[in-house]
Amino acid sequence: MMCQTPFKRERSVAQKVKLSTIAESLGISTATVSLALRDSPLVAASTRERIKEQARALGYIYNRRAASLRTSRSGIIGVVVHDIMNPFYGEILKAIESELDRNQHTFILSNHYDSVEKQRNFIETLLQLGGDGVIMSPAIGTPPADVQLAEDNGMPAIFVARRMEELDLPTYRGDDSYGIALATNHLIGLGHRCIAMIGGTDQTSTGRDRYSGYVNALRKAGIEVDPALRIPGPRTKQGGFEAAVHFLSLPQKPTAAVCWNDLVAIGLMNGISRAGLTPGVDISVTGYDDLEEASIATPSLTTVWNGQAEVGRLAARALLDKLAGSSAPDGMHLIKPEMRIRQSTGPHREMAENHHLV
Amino acid sequence: MMCQTPFKRERSVAQKVKLSTIAESLGISTATVSLALRDSPLVAASTRERIKEQARALGYIYNRRAASLRTSRSGIIGVVVHDIMNPFYGEILKAIESELDRNQHTFILSNHYDSVEKQRNFIETLLQLGGDGVIMSPAIGTPPADVQLAEDNGMPAIFVARRMEELDLPTYRGDDSYGIALATNHLIGLGHRCIAMIGGTDQTSTGRDRYSGYVNALRKAGIEVDPALRIPGPRTKQGGFEAAVHFLSLPQKPTAAVCWNDLVAIGLMNGISRAGLTPGVDISVTGYDDLEEASIATPSLTTVWNGQAEVGRLAARALLDKLAGSSAPDGMHLIKPEMRIRQSTGPHREMAENHHLV
């Protein structure tokens, strides 16, 4: 190992200095120099010639081996998810970028907003670019052929957060049914019996898995499941905030809420505060994901760590392994969630019920 | 207008039905059909032939005019900003997507994290794709030549949120100096005299403009400017939360804080609550941006509406106008911010100072 260091350092320093030296000596950008040396038609032919001449004059040696390695890999990685602005996906993306080395790759991102057509356009665009691979959380209703198209053209696909039953591709996600049961059991352990579930939808695998995890945990504790205690839909802070009115007017007077994710939980807590009740005292609230924000919320949020960083890191590793020709079996990799107990949950008290709005 | 409706409807319905009809009749995806009809090498030659035959058999008429329009425009729009996961940029992006019609364009996004190299790679990638245009918030230290490269190759660039003094390109942003003065004047009007400024950096034009707006407002009110009341740096919730300790231990005992943005303000309010003080009562806090989240925070956040949706909408319009060959002059378009007064600010009270941690 040690004997390689001087060689490596010398090569990278030499290349760096020379590209920028050419650029500076001509008063143009290194981007233009780099394109010209790769004979890109984006630079005018006369400028290209001038740059090459200057490169020769300055003794710039074009590293052909590096260039051919670059040619076989575009260095472009696509990431397409429901909504990259959701911090849950943001945290997955940060881990992917960090694992794949931000400086060696160009990441192009896209939101599909669960439109199969938008997702398809993105995959086609990525194929046109010669993308190295795509990491995706498939849109609701994705036809297997749309993903197969990528695979068939040598662009491996890795799934995060959502699975597709029809395709045996590497899939990284948290164990949703287990995780939501952790949260439900935590509330049952605090003496709560009337526990609502807020947010999520049956249209995604995650939504179905979380609802069944909640239902099973209640049943195991001998608590009757009341479908009216489920308020489906919300997945944002605004959604959680708006659901507070519905939640607080439920005739069953729930004393606790298992929320779809941290965003819904924080929105719900804000709505509960607005109604004059204290989350964590009058009403216990659990989140899901353990976003960075959970620990600084007021009150700090009891939640389920869902391993976003692990999901991103492992998905990136799987992509690198595929590109290196690994023949490791594909399939599902479930990350085991963990409970993070903070201030938004507390023991059940009779008093809480008297405070309720009806 | 009315006489056009039947024609338009007929054409779009006819095309839609036929592409999916071919796909369904062959048991393959519409993506593959679409690629095959455009003679894409991504589909095996034999499959292409089979698809074309089926298309002819089913009477599919390839719309040559539409195809040639498609060829001259790739339909790909690039957006590159510091960090798309920041909801400030997220709200700009949503407005861009909505104005440019999500279904007609493929948006590819990238974070430059203020790395000039990452931004350059993205612009090169977009050029290789034949992107129609790029909407960008330029990275700190962007060489004008990197943007000029896009312009020179027929890919117009539009700036949002940050300007580049060296380039006269359409730029859409809020009037930062005016906006922060609105917030500072609001606090002065409530009787506050010792007002800290939290977050931001002198490295960006926005950072310099906001600090000078704060300084000028204080001076106009005859309040001495104390540089130690500036806590630069934070731009996230976590940053605001951590700055609370520094803020609360300032010997000058400020009774109010003008924050860099809503994220910093919400983080700071959480930190203030954690220390046992009540934001909006003991300490007044203003945000900046008026994110969706500001109105549902606890307490709801007094902030400055910064027109993100307007910035995105106008930038998208400017791009469409450029693509349509408009010769409207370029240059800066400043959106006038507006004050949004909520519960996080209140009158100065002597009591607040006694509560302070030292």
Side-chain angles (χ1 to χ4, degrees), chain B residues 160-211:
Chain B
V160 288
R162 292 181 187 170
R163 64 177 187 268
M164 270 185 73
E165 271 140 25
E166 307 89 336
L167 291 173
D168 181 35
L169 289 175
T171 304
Y172 295 86
R173 47 191 285 268
D175 186 339
D176 290 295
S177 167
Y178 177 87
I180 212 84
L182 281 179
T184 313
N185 288 341
H186 166 68
L187 291 168
I188 295 169
L190 288 168
H192 296 278
R193 287 295 172 271
C194 187
I195 303 168
M197 174 152 186
I198 303 192
T201 157
D202 274 344
Q203 289 187 282
T204 66
S205 59
T206 318
R208 292 188 294 273
D209 290 352
R210 290 203 193 155
Y211 186 62

Side-chain angles (χ1 to χ4, degrees), chain B residues 227-246:
Chain B
L229 287 176
R230 184 187 194 191
I231 303 178
R235 24 188 200 180
T236 62
K237 267 184 208 171
Q238 188 69 37
F241 183 74
E242 288 164 5
V245 176
H246 182 172

Side-chain angles (χ1 to χ4, degrees), chain B residues 89-103:
Chain B
Y89 289 116
E91 292 186 4
I92 290 178
L93 177 72
K94 275 195 207 300
I96 292 172
E97 287 185 327
S98 145
E99 186 69 21
L100 289 180
D101 185 356
R102 288 179 179 181
N103 299 319

Side-chain angles (χ1 to χ4, degrees), chain B residues 276-319:
Chain B
L277 296 170
T278 308
V281 178
D282 299 317
I283 306 281
S284 286
V285 177
T286 61
Y288 204 99
D289 289 342
D290 195 25
L291 300 179
E292 267 183 32
E293 198 176 340
S295 62
I296 65 170
T298 304
S300 61
L301 183 65
T302 295
T303 186
V304 179
W305 174 83
N306 192 19
Q308 293 87 278
E310 271 301 277
V311 165
R313 193 180 66 77
L314 294 171
R317 290 293 339 153
L319 183 56

Side-chain angles (χ1 to χ4, degrees), chain A residues 197-241:
Chain A
M197 175 155 185
I198 303 190
T201 156
D202 274 345
Q203 290 187 283
T204 67
S205 61
T206 317
R208 293 187 294 273
D209 289 351
R210 291 203 191 153
Y211 185 62
S212 74
Y214 155 85
V215 164
N216 291 337
L218 291 178
R219 283 199 183 130
K220 275 195 187 156
I223 299 171
E224 206 187 329
V225 177
D226 178 354
L229 286 177
R230 185 186 194 192
I231 303 178
R235 21 188 201 181
T236 62
K237 268 184 206 169
Q238 188 69 37
F241 184 74

